[in-house]
């Protein structure tokens, strides 16, 4: 009887057991990790490596308490839920992407730190949420994002549309800030790597070693969180976290004379396996032939497949190494992709990107100056509009009546201007313009500014270094040479699917110009006490003179009976018998 | 008298027109001594451009002019040069007519006091004669129109010229005895730059004198007239401010104009004392010293009113001078206004003690301002202390000039009542001291 009871209990447990498990499995959300590395040789002989790690989680972080985090990092998930964030884009960059020589970037970021966030419409106090968010992110990424305050935050109206799902775009829910003075170093890389599901122990992230990554001319790491459609019917929302890292190795900083690259030369590591948690792990090498000739580049070992796609309006060919395919690690236990140039690069062959820009400060002296932006449209026959966003700190007082836009010698009036003047010590200037760029033209935009004298406590520790002006942002739909087919987001490589494309004839590009370094006149920092004394002395001179003239009256001078010395002398003279003074 | 005045006006207009057409116009317009954040022409143009873009000019920190200036220049921006030349001429003519009337009043009062035997017997050489007073109005107009400070201010199209002309019209209205017009122009002047509020006291004293109302605190007619004048002034001020509200349908201009004047957030260098003081101020004491410096402009009024209640026009001169030295954003245009009055007190020349040194100081400082600015901002071989030092010297020069004239004025008054040749009790020549 005891045995029968035990058997019944066991049976009950066996029946009841899987049920919570099944219900649990039903409550469990599916999440997936895809990782990829894109190696693209640049026209100048340098090579750019772009890592992308995408975690997609079919959970609604806004609604319902999610407590079980698997691949999606808990720090960011709780941040999104608690502060009502709809989209978050944070980039930390060191160096400048030279669009003119390196071509259109897959994902560019301005020098320093850039943070732009769309909040949910349910957030009532967006400024407070923004401040909390920047402080929390400052802690998570060990970056001084806590310096983001109202003096460097703006609300653009046209430049930064949501990249994920959005219904309604009230731009009051958007905040954008850039800290051009921020530096990126190992302390920022380590917490970024920690957010990856495999950390830096397996998969593509083993290549991310700080001593090689920061020995480069451009290093940009970014975090993008946005809601996306779960499938084509878009009935449910899933959250996507993309962590991207772009690094450009050049011959000079890596200290080698030849232009042949390999994973070992670049990262001093090779790939040994894919991340076990990843559903896809690929390395793409751009082997597109230039000028429709044979390939310039030879890659070893032979790739698992070749992928052709139209990326940024151009037909490109990629050699693909699938780290999850069993055939890859058959011959050797590590994968060291090597790129060899078949014939020397000819500098005259360097293709010029369709859209690129430059910005510099003109003028002399510490009183005034002007900001000049040159935008180049090198497309031979197509004109297209570009939105320019400039954020200038309040201490460079812009004069918008001096704004001139000249294209091909004639004035070019922008079709949309949004200008928000700065308020001293409270908010920066915001200038957004929609400018039409004619085909094959250079557009010069000039605006004059006046440099303010700040209070001595408002200068940074090295005041004569100058003040940084953040990069201006150019957003454009550039017409593409080849029509792009609408492809399934899930099947295409990650580097083609960050920016949604509305139609196949143009692709979205966001470019950043150089940050500027501007000197301001400085007071003498050693003089506060002296200045206070001297100025108060001048005021006291006036007060004293007026006090005398107002309170005293003229009198005839009485002869004085002499001071003490005279009287004493007279006493001594009396004793001597000599007449007194 | 009209013909010489017309000649002077023509000469002044020619000089200004010549400078407008030359390359010096752009150079002068950039000078910080001539154009301050409150009255620079560049900022007026910027404000109008912002209005065209659909943004309120007061939403930023560039434009600190009153809505009246927006009204005025919205229609007259094409003729800006002409407007400023006409303003200068208007100021000069107003001062000319005012001083002409004032001379008549001075002469009448002098005659009365001589007949009443209020003067000592041996002061004949101190009495002003119509002969020497004949050319004073012309000299005043000349001093104003051909003063290099005024010319530079006009060529730079600084709205200080408009403020000066409003004050000059106020002086004319006061001296002519029209309380209503005087109150209206004073309200306008206060509305434009806030500090002329202190000119209420001398205007009131003059009008009371003109109405032969004795200035006694117990007198009913004194209080009645004061209330009348004060209510006229306040009503016109309220009307002007309400009209300004209807321009842009907002009260934004009040913090932008008056908040700016009083709290001095912009530290652009100028010829005044505020900028470097607040650039080097410890943050903790900033509010305290702003209050102290602003009170400093206003608090000389009551003591001066008590001392100079018999001489309200001299009081007005001293008050205008104090405003020009201690206001938050002074320019040379403000200095030119009180300098225009110096010919009126030319009979005090023999009692001035330091006039040579002070005029040298003022002239040298005026030449050194652009030199040291260039060395600091463009050459980079000097620093802000050099420019600050010249600012201090210039202000000390101005302060000592005003107090010297005050001393000379009081001394002449003493001599008039006590006689010119003073002797001590034992018969030897006496010295006069201030005790």
């Amino acid at each position: 009887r005891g045995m029968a009871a035990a058997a019944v209990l066991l049976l009950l447990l066996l029946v009841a057991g899987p049920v919570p498990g099944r219900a649990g499995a039903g409550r469990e959300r599916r999440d997936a990790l895809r990782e990829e590395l894109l190696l693209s040789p640049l026209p100048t002989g340098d090579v750019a490596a772009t890592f992308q790690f995408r975690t997609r989680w079919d959970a609604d972080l806004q609604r319902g308490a999610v407590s079980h985090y698997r691949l999606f990092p808990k720090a960011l998930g709780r941040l999104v839920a608690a502060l009502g964030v709809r989209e978050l884009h944070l980039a930390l960059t060191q160096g400048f992407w030279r669009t003119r020589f390196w071509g259109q970037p897959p994902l560019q970021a301005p020098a320093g730190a850039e943070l732009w966030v769309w909040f949910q419409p349910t957030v009532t106090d967006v400024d407070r949420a923004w401040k909390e968010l920047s402080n929390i992110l400052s802690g998570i990424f060990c970056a001084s994002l806590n310096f983001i305050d109202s003096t460097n935050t703006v609300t653009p109206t046209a430049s930064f549309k949501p990249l994920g799902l959005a219904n309604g775009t009230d731009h009051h829910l958007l905040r954008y800030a850039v800290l051009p003075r921020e530096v990126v170093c190992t302390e920022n890389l380590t917490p970024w790597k920690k957010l990856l599901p495999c950390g830096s122990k397996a998969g593509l992230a083993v290549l991310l070693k700080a001593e090689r990554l920061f020995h480069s001319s451009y290093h940009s790491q970014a975090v993008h969180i946005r809601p996306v459609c779960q499938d084509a019917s878009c009935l449910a929302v899933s959250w996507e976290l993309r962590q991207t890292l772009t690094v450009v190795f050049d011959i000079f900083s890596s200290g080698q004379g030849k232009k042949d690259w390999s994973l070992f030369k670049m990262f001093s590591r090779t790939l040994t396996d894919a991340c076990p948690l990843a559903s896809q792990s690929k390395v793409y090498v751009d082997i597109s032939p230039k000028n429709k000739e044979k390939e310039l580049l030879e890659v070893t070992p032979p790739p698992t497949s070749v992928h052709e796609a139209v990326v940024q309006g151009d037909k490109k060919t990629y050699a693909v190494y699938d780290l999850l395919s069993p055939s890859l690690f058959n011959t050797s236990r590590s994968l060291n992709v090597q790129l060899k140039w078949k014939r020397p690069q000819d500098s005259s062959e360097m293709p010029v990107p369709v859209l690129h820009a430059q910005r510099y400060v003109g003028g002399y002296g510490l009183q005034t100056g002007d900001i000049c932006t040159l935008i180049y449209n090198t497309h031979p026959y197509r004109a297209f509009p570009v939105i320019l966003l400039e954020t200038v700190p309040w201490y460079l007082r812009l004069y918008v009546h001096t704004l001139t836009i000249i294209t091909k010698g004639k004035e070019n009036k922008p079709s949309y201007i949004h200008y928000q003047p700065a308020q001293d010590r409270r908010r920066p200037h915001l200038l957004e313009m929609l400018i039409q760029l004619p085909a094959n033209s250079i557009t010069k935009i000039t605006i004059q500014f006046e440099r303010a004298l700040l209070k001595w406590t408002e200068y940074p520790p090295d005041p004569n270094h100058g003040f940084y002006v953040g990069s201006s942002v150019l957003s454009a739909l550039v017409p593409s040479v080849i029509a792009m087919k609408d492809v399934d987001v899930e099947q295409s490589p990650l580097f083609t699917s960050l920016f949604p494309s509305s139609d196949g004839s143009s692709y979205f590009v966001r470019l950043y110009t150089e940050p500027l370094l501007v000197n301001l006149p400085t007071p003498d920092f050693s003089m506060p006490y002296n200045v206070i004394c001297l100025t108060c002395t001048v005021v006291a001179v006036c007060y004293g003179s007026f006090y005398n003239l107002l309170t005293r009256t003229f009198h005839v001078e009485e002869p004085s009976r002499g001071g003490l010395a005279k009287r004493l002398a007279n006493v001594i003279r009396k004793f001597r018998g000599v007449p007194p003074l | 008298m009209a013909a010489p005045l017309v000649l002077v006006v023509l000469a002044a207009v020619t000089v200004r027109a010549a400078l407008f057409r030359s390359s010096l116009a752009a150079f002068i317009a950039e000078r910080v001594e001539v154009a301050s954040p409150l009255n620079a022409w560049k900022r007026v143009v910027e404000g109008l451009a912002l209005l065209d873009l659909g943004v309120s000019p007061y939403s930023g920190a560039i434009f600190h002019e009153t809505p009246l200036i927006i009204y005025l220049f919205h229609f007259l921006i094409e003729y800006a040069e002409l407007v400023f030349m006409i303003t200068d001429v208007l100021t000069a003519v107003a001062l000319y007519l005012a001083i002409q009337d004032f001379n008549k009043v001075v002469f009448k009062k002098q005659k009365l006091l001589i007949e009443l035997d209020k003067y000592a017997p041996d002061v004949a050489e101190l009495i002003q004669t119509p002969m020497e007073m004949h050319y004073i109005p012309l000299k005043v107009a000349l001093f104003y129109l051909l003063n290099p400070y005024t010319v530079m201010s006009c060529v730079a199209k600084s709205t200080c010229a408009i403020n000066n002309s409003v004050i000059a019209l106020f002086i004319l209205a006061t001296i002519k005895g029209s309380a209503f017009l005087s109150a209206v122009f004073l309200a306008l002047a206060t509305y434009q730059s806030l500090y002329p509020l202190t000119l209420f006291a001398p205007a009131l004293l003059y009008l009371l004198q003109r109405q032969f109302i004795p200035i006694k605190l117990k007198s009913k007619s004194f209080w009645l007239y004061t209330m009348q004048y004060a209510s006229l002034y306040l009503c016109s001020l309220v009307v002007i401010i309400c009209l300004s509200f209807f321009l842009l349908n907002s009260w934004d201009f009040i913090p932008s104009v008056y908040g700016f004047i009083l709290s001095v957030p912009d530290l652009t260098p100028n010829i005044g004392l505020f900028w470097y003081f607040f650039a080097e101020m410890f943050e903790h004491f900033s509010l305290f010293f702003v209050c102290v410096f602003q009170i400093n402009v206003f608090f000389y009024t009551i003591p001066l009113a008590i001392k100079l209640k018999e001489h309200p026009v001299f009081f007005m001169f001293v008050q205008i001078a104090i405003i020009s030295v201690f206001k938050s954003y002074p320019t040379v245009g403000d200095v030119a206004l009180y300098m225009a009055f110096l010919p009126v007190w030319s009979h005090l020349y023999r009692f001035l003690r330091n006039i040579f040194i002070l005029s040298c100081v003022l002239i040298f400082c005026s030449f050194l301002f652009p030199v040291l600015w260039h060395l600091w901002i463009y050459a980079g071989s000097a620093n802000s202390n050099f420019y600050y030092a010249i600012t201090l010297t210039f202000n000390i020069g101005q302060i000592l000039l005003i107090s010297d004239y005050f001393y000379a004025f009081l001394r002449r008054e003493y001599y008039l009542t006590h006689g010119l040749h003073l002797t001590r009790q034992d018969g030897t020549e006496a010295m006069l001291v201030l005790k």
Side-chain angles (χ1 to χ4, degrees):
Chain A
R1 194 175 297 171
M3 283 281 286
V8 164
L9 208 59
L10 203 59
L11 203 63
L12 273 172
L13 276 172
L14 274 172
V15 167
V19 170
R22 263 207 302 277
R27 272 203 302 271
E28 232 173 74
R29 310 282 189 257
R30 283 189 315 118
D31 48 16
L33 169 70
R34 283 174 59 183
E35 54 177 24
E36 78 179 28
L37 164 63
L38 169 66
L39 295 171
S40 23
L42 300 171
T44 47
D46 312 321
V47 68
T50 309
F51 292 83
Q52 278 209 40
F53 302 89
R54 193 191 89 161
T55 307
R56 215 189 83 167
W57 195 20
D58 299 337
D60 196 351
L61 282 172
Q62 296 298 318
R63 275 192 297 261
V66 281
S67 53
H68 183 66
Y69 289 83
R70 201 174 74 100
L71 295 180
F72 202 95
K74 186 171 180 182
L76 295 179
R78 282 178 52 174
L79 188 68
V80 168
L83 291 175
V85 168
R86 191 167 74 200
E87 256 188 58
L88 185 147
H89 302 268
L90 168 67
L92 294 165
T93 313
Q94 172 197 301
F96 182 69
W97 182 275
R98 296 182 219 149
T99 314
R100 169 72 181 80
F101 301 105
W102 293 347
Q104 222 94 59
L107 269 178
Q108 196 187 358
E114 183 204 38
L115 175 66
W116 60 279
V117 175
W118 275 94
F119 287 92
Q120 299 279 359
T122 53
V123 174
T124 43
D125 191 349
V126 179
D127 290 316
R128 204 176 62 87
W130 171 251
K131 187 141 186 69
E132 272 187 50
L133 178 69
S134 48
N135 279 299
I136 295 175
L137 286 174
S138 172
I140 295 177
F141 290 100
C142 294
S144 328
L145 300 174
N146 53 325
F147 284 124
I148 292 178
D149 56 13
S150 66
T151 59
N152 44 31
T153 308
V154 289
T155 306
T157 54
S159 298
F160 285 94
K161 295 296 179 202
L163 293 176
L165 281 186
N167 48 348
T169 51
D170 177 10
H171 67 266
H172 292 110
L173 299 169
L174 168 65
R175 292 290 183 272
Y176 173 80
V178 66
L179 294 172
R181 212 181 164 126
E182 193 62 26
V183 289
V184 190
C185 56
T186 319
E187 272 153 25
N188 309 117
L189 182 65
T190 313
W192 186 91
K193 283 196 291 190
K194 273 203 198 149
L195 295 173
L196 297 171
C198 281
S200 53
K201 297 191 174 52
L204 294 174
V206 296
L207 297 176
L208 300 175
K209 292 299 166 196
E211 67 266 14
R212 299 300 307 164
L213 281 182
F214 290 102
H215 222 72
S216 57
S217 39
Y218 178 79
H219 172 102
S220 172
Q221 61 195 57
V223 169
H224 303 275
I225 304 177
R226 60 179 180 168
V228 292
C229 287
Q230 216 168 78
D231 48 26
S233 59
C234 212
L235 291 167
V237 161
S238 60
W239 283 82
E240 180 193 84
L241 164 69
R242 279 194 196 222
Q243 289 180 255
T244 65
L245 193 143
T246 310
V247 62
V248 172
F249 295 101
D250 65 35
I251 334 167
F252 302 105
S253 66
S254 60
Q256 45 177 1
K258 290 198 306 180
K259 294 185 199 172
D260 292 336
W261 296 102
S262 72
L263 279 183
F264 190 78
K265 274 197 186 138
M266 291 192 279
F267 301 104
S268 66
R269 296 281 188 290
T270 54
L271 293 167
T272 47
D273 58 359
C275 174
L277 299 168
S279 58
Q280 206 183 83
S281 181
K282 290 188 178 166
V283 177
Y284 292 84
V285 183
D286 185 352
I287 51 173
S288 320
K290 307 277 186 292
N291 303 328
K292 303 200 177 25
E293 289 177 7
K294 272 177 8 127
E295 295 100 31
L296 298 170
L297 207 58
E298 184 195 313
V299 284
T300 49
T304 39
S305 60
V306 171
H307 177 86
E308 286 193 357
V310 178
V311 170
Q312 293 188 337
D314 232 347
K315 198 167 155 79
K316 296 219 163 123
T317 316
Y318 297 95
V320 183
Y321 296 85
D322 190 347
L323 293 172
L324 287 173
S325 88
S327 60
L328 194 63
F329 292 108
N330 269 350
T331 44
S332 65
R333 269 189 306 170
S334 74
L335 171 67
N336 183 17
V337 178
Q338 290 176 354
L339 301 98
K340 280 201 187 40
W341 294 100
K342 277 199 187 144
R343 57 185 174 83
Q345 273 280 52
D346 196 354
S347 58
S348 63
E349 291 177 355
M350 274 202 281
V352 183
V354 177
L355 174 69
H356 64 280
Q358 255 185 289
R359 190 172 70 152
Y360 55 91
V361 176
Y364 60 94
L366 293 175
Q367 191 177 1
T368 52
D370 45 50
I371 299 180
C372 305
T373 313
L374 291 170
I375 309 182
Y376 298 81
N377 173 6
T378 56
H379 202 285
Y381 51 86
R382 289 283 299 272
F384 55 90
V386 67
I387 298 182
L388 173 68
L389 170 74
E390 289 245 19
T391 311
V392 179
W394 65 267
Y395 38 82
L396 301 179
R397 301 178 206 271
L398 290 183
Y399 284 90
V400 78
H401 73 272
T402 55
L403 176 69
T404 49
I405 308 177
I406 310 251
T407 310
K408 290 186 182 169
K410 286 193 305 225
E411 203 192 317
N412 181 355
K413 217 165 135 47
S415 37
Y416 168 75
I417 295 190
H418 171 70
Y419 177 63
Q420 196 185 52
Q423 277 177 354
D424 278 8
R425 302 179 180 90
R426 262 182 284 163
R427 68 167 193 229
H429 295 279
L430 173 68
L431 178 62
E432 265 187 293
M433 295 187 284
L434 179 67
I435 305 168
Q436 192 73 14
L437 302 176
N440 208 12
S441 65
I442 304 176
T443 306
K444 181 167 180 182
I445 303 158
T446 325
I447 186 164
Q448 280 180 19
F449 62 85
E450 217 175 62
R451 302 175 206 222
L453 184 73
L454 305 177
K455 298 186 183 172
W456 70 303
T457 48
E458 290 174 346
Y459 287 86
D462 185 4
N464 291 302
H465 178 73
F467 288 77
Y468 284 96
V469 179
S471 313
S472 48
V473 187
L474 291 153
S475 319
L477 277 174
V478 179
S480 54
V481 174
I482 301 173
M484 300 185 297
K485 292 194 297 282
D486 235 351
V487 282
D488 182 16
V489 172
E490 289 305 310
Q491 301 309 316
S492 54
L494 290 174
F495 56 85
T496 57
S497 61
L498 184 62
F499 293 114
S501 59
S502 50
D503 59 49
S505 63
S506 55
Y507 58 95
F508 182 77
V509 154
R510 183 168 286 141
L511 286 184
Y512 295 88
T513 60
E514 293 92 332
L516 302 173
L517 189 59
V518 175
N519 263 331
L520 290 183
T522 57
D524 188 345
F525 297 99
S526 61
M527 294 265 293
Y529 181 69
N530 303 3
V531 167
I532 294 174
C533 282
L534 289 168
T535 309
C536 290
T537 304
V538 172
V539 175
V541 163
C542 177
Y543 178 81
S545 320
F546 274 79
Y547 179 81
N548 277 339
L549 291 165
L550 288 168
T551 53
R552 298 183 184 198
T553 47
F554 283 100
H555 291 286
V556 173
E557 191 183 12
E558 293 301 316
S560 59
R561 280 175 304 133
L564 187 62
K566 202 166 166 191
R567 272 187 283 167
L568 211 58
N570 280 340
V571 165
I572 297 174
R573 285 171 98 102
K574 206 159 86 170
F575 274 128
R576 281 172 60 195
V578 173
L581 285 169
Chain B
M1 276 312 278
L5 180 64
V6 168
L7 275 172
V8 165
V9 164
L10 276 175
V13 168
T14 314
V15 167
R16 284 161 173 74
L19 279 173
F20 270 129
R21 293 282 161 265
S22 74
S23 61
L24 279 177
F27 171 72
I28 293 174
E30 289 268 304
R31 301 244 45 85
V32 288
E33 298 91 15
V34 182
S36 74
L38 270 183
N39 54 30
W41 177 247
K42 202 171 173 190
R43 294 191 179 223
V44 174
V45 176
E46 176 71 9
L48 293 171
L50 283 174
L51 204 60
D52 282 339
L53 272 180
V55 178
S56 162
Y58 300 110
S59 60
I62 295 266
F63 187 74
H64 302 287
E65 300 275 4
T66 55
L68 190 73
I69 300 288
I70 302 183
Y71 270 132
L72 184 69
F73 285 108
H74 194 63
F75 305 107
L76 293 176
I77 189 128
E78 306 291 321
Y79 311 106
E81 296 173 0
L82 208 59
V83 167
F84 284 102
M85 284 202 275
I86 290 176
T87 319
D88 267 359
V89 168
L90 194 67
T91 313
V93 169
L95 287 176
Y96 177 89
L97 295 170
I99 300 300
Q100 232 180 16
D101 250 14
F102 174 61
N103 278 345
K104 291 193 194 123
V105 167
V106 159
F107 192 62
K108 254 197 281 187
K109 189 168 163 195
Q110 220 173 221
K111 219 163 92 163
L112 181 71
L113 287 173
I114 290 175
E115 277 169 19
L116 289 176
D117 259 343
K118 287 282 167 78
Y119 286 165
D122 59 350
V123 294
E125 56 195 74
L126 286 182
I127 307 277
Q128 288 183 290
T129 59
M131 276 297 291
E132 64 192 43
M133 288 183 8
H134 183 65
Y135 283 107
I136 288 182
L138 185 65
K139 282 192 205 162
V140 166
L142 194 77
F143 257 55
Y144 185 75
L145 280 176
L146 294 180
N147 191 346
Y149 292 154
T150 325
V151 173
M152 285 202 293
S153 204
C154 178
V155 172
K157 292 191 274 203
S158 155
T159 57
C160 185
I162 297 178
N163 296 353
N164 284 356
S165 82
V166 173
I167 295 178
L169 288 168
F170 151 73
I171 294 175
L172 177 63
T174 311
I175 292 187
K176 289 273 191 199
S178 158
F180 172 67
L181 277 178
S182 166
V184 166
F185 280 119
L186 185 64
L188 207 56
T190 311
Y191 165 76
Q192 275 289 105
S193 65
L194 197 65
Y195 293 105
L197 174 64
T198 53
L199 295 174
F200 180 84
L204 182 65
L205 287 173
Y206 185 85
L207 289 168
L208 283 170
Q209 245 188 22
R210 217 185 141 88
Q211 304 281 347
F212 302 111
I213 299 173
I215 302 162
K216 287 194 205 336
L217 283 176
K218 297 207 178 58
S219 155
K220 230 174 68 160
S221 50
F222 165 73
W223 284 112
L224 193 64
Y225 196 82
T226 309
M227 286 299 127
Q228 271 182 332
Y229 189 62
S231 56
L232 272 174
Y233 170 66
L234 287 170
C235 286
S236 2
L237 196 59
V238 164
V239 164
I240 296 172
I241 290 189
C242 289
L243 279 175
S244 312
F245 170 78
F246 289 117
L247 171 70
L248 290 168
N249 271 326
S250 75
W251 296 108
D252 277 348
F253 72 97
I254 292 185
S256 236
V257 181
Y258 306 112
F260 181 79
I261 294 176
L262 288 175
S263 64
V264 197
D266 187 336
L267 299 173
T268 311
N270 48 57
I271 61 172
L273 298 164
F274 278 65
W275 63 279
Y276 207 52
F277 190 73
F278 290 104
E280 299 272 15
M281 174 54 60
F282 300 100
E283 202 51 48
H284 185 67
F285 296 105
S286 193
L287 181 62
F288 171 69
F289 276 104
V290 164
C291 294
V292 166
F293 270 53
Q294 296 292 359
I295 289 173
N296 185 46
V297 187
F298 291 99
F299 98 123
Y300 288 106
T301 310
I302 306 285
L304 280 172
I306 296 171
K307 183 82 179 183
L308 292 172
K309 60 176 176 286
E310 304 295 322
H311 314 283
V313 178
F314 188 76
F315 178 16
M316 220 180 280
F317 161 70
V318 174
Q319 193 61 68
I320 293 177
I322 288 178
I323 294 174
S324 323
V325 174
F326 290 114
K327 68 192 290 197
S328 41
Y329 292 100
T331 57
V332 292
D334 302 304
V335 175
L337 183 63
Y338 79 80
M339 281 199 169
F341 282 95
L342 295 181
V344 183
W345 324 113
S346 50
H347 57 275
L348 298 173
Y349 181 77
R350 58 187 289 177
F351 301 114
L352 292 170
R353 291 176 297 175
N354 305 315
I355 190 66
F356 174 68
I357 290 217
L358 291 174
S359 27
C360 286
V361 163
L362 291 176
I363 293 173
F364 283 142
C365 288
S366 311
F367 281 115
L368 280 176
F369 269 121
V371 171
L372 292 170
W373 178 257
H374 178 86
L375 283 182
W376 172 27
I377 297 288
Y378 294 101
S381 52
N383 65 8
S384 49
N385 291 334
F386 291 69
Y387 194 77
Y388 169 64
I390 295 301
T391 304
L392 284 182
T393 320
F394 187 72
N395 282 316
I396 290 231
Q398 283 189 82
I399 290 169
L400 291 177
L401 181 75
I402 304 163
S403 63
D404 211 13
Y405 266 92
F406 196 7
Y407 172 86
F409 188 84
L410 292 176
R411 192 162 168 163
R412 179 176 169 270
E413 292 301 312
Y414 182 83
Y415 278 139
L416 279 177
T417 46
H418 291 88
L420 198 52
H421 303 291
L422 301 163
T423 54
R424 272 187 267 187
Q425 285 163 345
D426 52 3
T428 55
E429 202 178 321
M431 293 288 291
L432 209 56
V433 290
L434 210 52
K435 268 219 212 327

